[in-house]
Amino acid sequence: MSGVSSENAVSGSEMVWRERVAWAYLAHVARGQGALVHLAVSLSGVEAAAEAVRHREVSEDLLRATARSWEYSGAEADLETAATLGARLVTPADAEWPQRLRMAGWLEGSTPVALWVRGQGVLPGADSAAVAFTGTRVSTAYGDHVASEFAGDLAMRGVSVLSGSGFGIEGAVLRAALGVGGGPVAVMPCGLDRAYPSGHARLLERVAEQGVVLSEYSFGAEPRRERFNGSGVLLAALSDAVVVPEAGARGRALSVAREAHRLGRAVYAIPGPVTSAASAGCHALIYEGIGRIAQSPANIEVTQIKS
């Protein structure tokens, strides 16, 4: 009996490993096309879906989506790297998969296939509110102050605080949430084996100790323009609301806010001096009717987005 149980345990472990390898493969070759992948997996299972992609026996849409990378052979190495870094792959088959990513409205966009996650914390669940912050990398003392005040207050109230990992507003948000004992979520525009920016390496280590650092990009992926855009979309999708403490007239912060608005998330913009170029983006969002004015953390009303 013990021998049979041992064989079954090994067989079960091998099955789980093959499934994780299949998910890691699909996460790399079909990044951003989760709606197509999730449909294929629901019809035939993850291993069969991965094999179908490898043999080019999939729909025209999925053929096009995987045309550049279907020959990828690094999925097992990705999982081994994750284990070395204390990271994990979270898939739609896992209980930890964010319910906010299951929404029909989100599936119309570039939903992730899976997420690489590192940290002692948990991803925002359906039972907790989640607020994302974004803003300029060249923030002023005023912008850092209000970003810290809002993020710290929300974290103390038990709200999940999310942000990118950049300099300026995003760094201020992460430090404020950590400072009050919160477990912030940092969304990265690159693989988790890289610190972006390098000057935030220690900050990201602290985030992983108390919260979560995540990315939809495989290990080795460098921060590029299109990946900044992708991580911004993911940041908006993982939240119930987005707060913009300070933003210039152009840049990623406005893109994140507008994507959040498209997804039906509440958007808040904190006004600044009309003479400040660093607040021009916030004023534009308010003028366009996208951003609600937020003068204090008490103004942030979070209606949880659930599937």
Side-chain angles (χ1 to χ4, degrees):
M1 291 295 291
S2 60
V4 173
S5 298
S6 177
E7 289 177 3
N8 289 341
V10 171
S11 177
S13 297
E14 290 178 351
M15 182 180 299
V16 170
W17 175 254
R18 290 198 303 267
E19 290 177 350
R20 304 311 282 181
V21 170
W23 276 116
Y25 167 77
L26 292 171
H28 181 89
V29 304
R31 191 207 62 78
Q33 298 297 324
L36 296 174
V37 171
H38 299 164
L39 175 60
V41 170
S42 70
L43 294 174
S44 59
V46 65
E47 290 184 73
E51 283 302 303
V53 171
R54 287 193 184 95
H55 291 93
R56 315 310 288 145
E57 297 172 349
V58 291
S59 67
E60 289 295 327
D61 288 341
L62 198 47
L63 277 175
R64 286 193 295 271
T66 58
R68 294 184 179 181
S69 53
W70 64 274
E71 295 179 297
Y72 184 64
S73 60
E76 290 194 41
D78 285 336
L79 290 170
E80 291 167 357
T81 299
T84 300
L85 295 176
R88 59 194 183 274
L89 182 66
V90 177
T91 79
D94 299 322
E96 192 180 0
W97 185 253
Q99 290 293 323
R100 291 169 180 83
L101 298 187
R102 299 186 191 276
M103 293 178 56
W106 169 232
L107 292 178
E108 294 173 0
S110 53
T111 182
V113 174
L115 297 172
W116 293 100
V117 178
R118 177 173 177 244
Q120 300 300 311
V122 296
L123 297 175
D127 58 346
S128 64
V131 175
F133 285 79
T134 186
T136 178
R137 289 177 293 178
V138 287
S139 55
T140 66
Y142 165 78
D144 289 344
H145 172 74
V146 295
S148 298
E149 179 183 359
F150 276 64
D153 181 273
L154 289 169
M156 285 193 294
R157 285 158 49 188
V159 174
S160 294
V161 172
L162 301 87
S163 176
S165 60
F167 288 127
I169 294 299
E170 294 178 342
V173 165
L174 294 176
R175 284 189 288 270
L178 290 169
V180 297
V185 176
V187 181
M188 300 285 285
C190 56
L192 294 187
D193 54 336
R194 298 171 181 269
Y196 175 82
S198 59
H200 275 176
R202 177 53 189 149
L203 175 60
L204 290 169
E205 286 294 329
R206 291 177 59 206
V207 172
E209 290 167 4
Q210 291 183 212
V212 165
V213 181
L214 69 84
S215 175
E216 60 177 310
Y217 302 103
S218 300
F219 298 101
E222 299 178 354
R224 296 177 181 171
R225 182 182 181 87
E226 67 273 15
R227 290 172 184 155
F228 280 101
N229 293 336
S231 64
V233 173
L234 180 58
L235 179 64
L238 286 169
S239 68
D240 300 315
V242 170
V243 179
V244 187
E246 193 173 51
R250 297 180 181 179
R252 173 176 174 270
L254 297 191
S255 297
V256 173
R258 288 172 176 138
E259 179 63 20
H261 180 69
R262 186 188 74 80
L263 291 172
R265 275 52 168 167
V267 177
Y268 292 89
I270 301 174
V274 294
T275 54
S276 174
S279 290
C282 294
H283 299 156
L285 291 173
I286 295 169
Y287 180 79
E288 294 169 17
I290 292 176
R292 309 176 191 178
I293 294 178
Q295 295 177 296
S296 77
N299 296 143
I300 308 300
E301 299 176 1
V302 181
T303 301
Q304 289 174 233
I305 304 294
K306 297 183 179 180
S307 59

